[in-house]
Amino acid sequence: MNSRKFCRQRFGAAGLAVLLLAIVLLLCQAHPAVQTEPAAAAGPRSVAVCGTPFGVKMFSDGALVVAFADRYSASGRENPAKEAGLRLGDLIISAAGRPVHSNDDLSAALQTGQGSAVTILYRRGGHEYTAQLTPWADASGVYKAGLWVRDSSAGIGTLTFVDPVAGTFAGLGHPISDVDTGADFTLLSGEIVPVTVTGVRSASPGTAGELRGEFLSDILGIVTGNDATGLYGRWTAPAQSVGTMLPIAAPGEVHTGDAELWTTLSGRTAQHYTVRIERVGSGGQEANRDLTLRITDPALLSATGGIVQGMSGSPLVQDGKLVGAVTHVLVGTPAKGYGIFADTMLKMAETYNQ
């Protein structure tokens, strides 16, 4: 019998399966790394914690109604804007079909009708409405609506952090609002610049204090979001040495007890002061009141009387991690205030820079 034929007959399908199984077992013994190991959990996100002052310049996406100007005639007080149903805090988006971003835009639109009714598109409480406004002419023949509008805003705040990897920044911990109406500023464009703090007006019970400073010309970043939780944008300046790299704490890691507040009371360099976090928990519908804190540092209390305007956004550091930022002061007790979780600000910074 042919031996090769015999082997093929004896070593059929069953034998081939046994041989393949043996080869697989040998490979597994020679290469134990084929066993999959679970991936290591990612560590907490780290950012450059700042506490330095910045100036913000913002231009509105519309013209905000901030005051009315009545005139008197034989028939009494007149005001076209009021008669059309406009209120303080309304944001005028267009007039006579033209976009409105400034008082000049609104004035130009009113002149087109030569005294006839002009259609006004405005925003109130997140909804858009239209109104028919019939302007009157002043002594020089210029048509007016009987109102004052604001199209820009500027102020001082504190930078909470810069994320050098994502190229983003976060500050304030609350929105920029109009000083006259309290309405949140609707952003068209904006930028932040460095500020040198030149002085402090101290707070006292019932009276808010403030940081005073000088704006510098260098642009640090472009504002992309003015949100209930803070001011956000793209960081465009060099990120080297902008702050101290620290991990961001998860909300569950934040606890009552001692912490540090990083803020700047003179020049452009942040200092560290002691505070005590007295409450940790959800602020309910107000996302920027997650923490209640009290200033305990004698030097800070002596210099400011507590939390003052311009300190909003000052980082709160606990156990070597960024846990939050200052957002509000209790005007009746300026040594006390509120804060927001840093984790919330990080998520919002990512949202506004996708």
Side-chain angles (χ1 to χ4, degrees), residues 24-119:
V24 171
L25 291 173
L26 286 172
L27 288 172
C28 289
Q29 291 175 354
H31 303 281
V34 297
Q35 299 179 0
T36 304
E37 296 291 338
R45 182 80 162 272
S46 291
V47 294
V49 181
C50 302
T52 46
F54 69 89
V56 59
K57 305 173 184 178
M58 292 175 55
F59 295 93
S60 175
D61 186 18
L64 186 69
V65 178
V66 297
F68 292 105
D70 298 343
R71 77 169 182 177
Y72 296 86
S73 66
S75 57
R77 299 173 64 173
E78 298 177 342
N79 189 292
K82 289 181 181 178
E83 293 167 6
L86 292 175
R87 302 177 190 170
L88 294 179
D90 287 347
L91 186 73
I92 298 176
I93 302 169
S94 70
R98 297 182 175 189
V100 171
H101 298 300
S102 66
N103 185 56
D104 289 342
D105 291 340
L106 178 59
S107 179
L110 295 177
Q111 309 316 308
T112 62
Q114 293 295 301
S116 60
V118 173
T119 300

Side-chain angles (χ1 to χ4, degrees), residues 176-196:
I176 291 180
S177 302
D178 181 72
V179 66
D180 293 309
T181 66
D184 291 353
F185 205 77
T186 303
L187 178 69
L188 174 65
S189 62
E191 61 190 29
I192 62 170
V193 299
V195 161
T196 298

